[in-house]
Amino acid sequence: MPATRLLPRPLGRTGLWVSPLGLATFGFRAAGPLGLKLTVDDFERAYYDYGINTFLANKVTPSIDEGIRRLIRAGHRDDVVVAMEVGLPFAGSVRRGLERYLRLLGTDHVDILIYGWVRRRWHVRPTVWHEMEQLRAAGRARAIGFSSHNRAMAAELALALRPDVLMIRYNAAHRGAEREVFGPLEAMGEARPAIIAYTATRWGMLLEPVPERGFAQPMTGAECYRFALGHPSVDMVWCAARTMEELGEDVAGVLEGPLAPDRLAEVQRFGEAVHAAARRGKRWMFGPSAN
């Protein structure tokens, strides 16, 4: 019988072992016409049936938090990797936000603490980063890092701050991270942060055809994740499957490994077409899109 469970892999130098697909729900794929259908039971099944052990806690979607709580109560805390984001540029807000979530989840630490969506360098001011380092030193977070859509700034901050984890947008339509992030950070050697990719489907646009540019068939969700994980710099990618059926397809695809060279070249061309279509107005909320 073919394998149905993902095997854990090391998350850079953090000491954490994560599933290559992490389960998040705050994504535009999950906000599609079908809406989010994953239940609390589904989050448990994702762990037991598919080997997904990495979850992004999100107060917007209580079901994922309750799923995490159930797994912790069932004795799986040492196997479950819990990530959470903070977003206010004040040291006190970082600590209070984390402490509230720890009480909510019923645990004494998170595994990955991310300062989310850094748009300006001053967002990660010295006092904020020092507080995150203090929380890590106290064992309240095992690894710390940040996320950003600004690739050049993200690379500069990573070189300066030496985070454990960097969350960066990477998909077939946005391959600039290969040049502006992955390449420069290789110079850090063993100090290079672990890379978590997000928006693998480009908020669902890679799942839609672009017939006017010769692409009658889009990528599948599984191919989007295989594309991201196929880059050697990427340690993990967030998945926002809407249903258990979608999740099963995504897991089965990832278990097949990287895309074949011919298909990889094709999806790169398709990604360029999607990016060109986005330039005509489909930019969502993040401003100008760069390749």
Side-chain angles (χ1 to χ4, degrees):
M1 292 180 62
T4 59
R5 287 177 57 83
L6 299 169
L7 295 177
R9 55 170 64 184
L11 184 66
R13 56 181 168 80
T14 64
L16 299 169
W17 285 74
V18 298
S19 47
L21 280 184
L23 197 55
T25 58
F26 196 21
F28 280 89
R29 177 176 175 178
L34 293 178
L36 179 67
K37 301 297 184 183
L38 294 183
T39 66
V40 175
D41 291 341
D42 290 335
F43 288 113
E44 288 189 282
R45 286 180 55 202
Y47 174 80
Y48 291 116
D49 296 352
Y50 295 132
I52 293 177
N53 77 329
T54 308
F55 301 90
L56 180 61
N58 182 0
K59 63 184 179 181
V60 176
T61 313
S63 56
I64 195 168
D65 293 338
E66 177 58 23
I68 293 169
R69 283 193 295 269
R70 285 190 186 181
L71 291 171
I72 291 173
R73 289 196 297 265
H76 300 298
R77 182 64 188 93
D78 290 343
D79 298 321
V80 171
V81 177
V82 179
M84 70 160 287
E85 287 186 296
V86 291
L88 292 175
F90 306 101
S93 298
V94 169
R95 179 174 289 272
R96 287 191 296 272
L98 174 59
E99 295 295 345
R100 280 196 299 269
Y101 239 114
L102 294 181
R103 291 192 295 272
L104 175 67
L105 296 176
T107 183
D108 63 357
H109 72 281
V110 295
D111 299 286
I112 306 170
L113 178 62
I114 295 289
Y115 188 97
W117 199 13
V118 175
R119 287 166 288 169
R120 298 287 186 273
R121 195 179 179 93
W122 65 265
H123 286 184
V124 194
R125 61 181 70 190
T127 54
V128 168
W129 191 249
H130 177 70
E131 185 67 18
M132 294 180 70
E133 290 177 321
Q134 291 295 105
L135 290 167
R136 181 181 59 189
R140 305 300 265 175
R142 293 184 62 187
I144 60 174
F146 63 91
S147 71
S148 180
H149 278 263
N150 186 325
R151 296 187 298 259
M153 183 187 68
E156 291 176 5
L157 278 174
L159 289 167
L161 299 176
R162 302 287 172 127
D164 303 310
V165 176
L166 173 61
M167 244 169 67
I168 199 78
R169 175 177 61 176
Y170 179 57
N171 56 55
H174 293 287
R175 304 199 306 274
E178 298 170 0
R179 178 183 66 255
E180 296 181 64
V181 179
F182 303 159
L185 295 192
E186 284 300 318
M188 296 176 70
E190 293 184 358
R192 182 184 75 86
I195 301 293
I196 299 177
Y198 64 104
T199 63
T201 69
R202 203 200 182 278
W203 311 294
M205 287 187 64
L206 289 168
L207 308 177
E208 300 175 3
V210 189
E212 66 272 21
R213 292 183 177 269
F215 292 93
Q217 295 296 323
M219 296 173 70
T220 66
E223 286 180 323
C224 292
Y225 301 118
R226 292 173 69 188
F227 173 86
L229 290 166
H231 195 285
S233 290
V234 175
D235 297 284
M236 195 197 86
V237 60
W238 289 120
C239 170
R242 293 170 296 193
T243 66
M244 284 301 288
E245 181 181 8
E246 280 188 354
L247 184 60
E249 293 169 356
D250 295 337
V251 169
V254 168
L255 286 168
E256 292 183 36
L259 296 170
D262 289 351
R263 182 55 177 159
L264 176 61
E266 186 175 14
V267 301
Q268 287 174 336
R269 293 191 297 271
F270 173 68
E272 291 168 0
V274 170
H275 187 270
R279 285 183 178 277
R280 298 203 306 271
K282 288 186 174 181
R283 293 183 184 168
W284 297 98
M285 62 186 190
F286 298 109
S289 218
N291 209 3

